Amino acid sequence: MDIAQAEGLEMEVDDPAQFDAMPEPSYDEEDMLDLAFALTATSRLGCQVKMSKEIDGLKVRLPSKTRNLQAADFKGAKKS
């Protein structure tokens, strides 16, 4: 979860009850999710999930692939 939150990764919530306990995604989050690879009905952006007692013990799955790109991923780009 820490990695998903820090990197803003799309993730799938395993437990539908925990997914339902989360606040609805914002319009901006839904727009970003529209760009996600292999979007599911329980997909959320890790950076938008606010931990609370209602979702304590949250179990998520990270997607097997991502569309996240950064300059360092391209040949010839300087790596910091």
Side-chain angles (χ1 to χ4, degrees):
M1 186 68 192
D2 290 338
I3 293 169
Q5 286 187 316
E7 301 300 323
L9 297 177
E10 179 260 326
M11 61 185 196
E12 287 179 51
V13 179
D14 278 342
D15 183 350
Q18 286 182 319
F19 181 82
D20 291 340
M22 293 181 190
E24 291 289 321
S26 68
Y27 179 77
D28 288 338
E29 181 181 358
E30 288 180 346
D31 276 353
M32 293 300 295
L33 284 170
D34 286 342
L35 303 173
F37 181 84
L39 186 67
T40 70
T42 60
S43 293
R44 292 298 300 265
L45 294 179
C47 61
Q48 298 299 307
V49 175
K50 303 220 183 331
M51 298 307 294
S52 66
K53 289 181 182 183
E54 292 78 24
I55 59 171
D56 186 37
L58 178 69
K59 293 182 182 176
V60 300
R61 281 179 273 132
L62 297 178
S64 60
K65 296 182 181 181
T66 183
R67 290 192 177 138
N68 292 352
L69 299 176
Q70 56 188 9
D73 293 335
F74 296 95
K75 187 176 181 178
K78 291 182 182 180
K79 294 188 180 193
S80 51

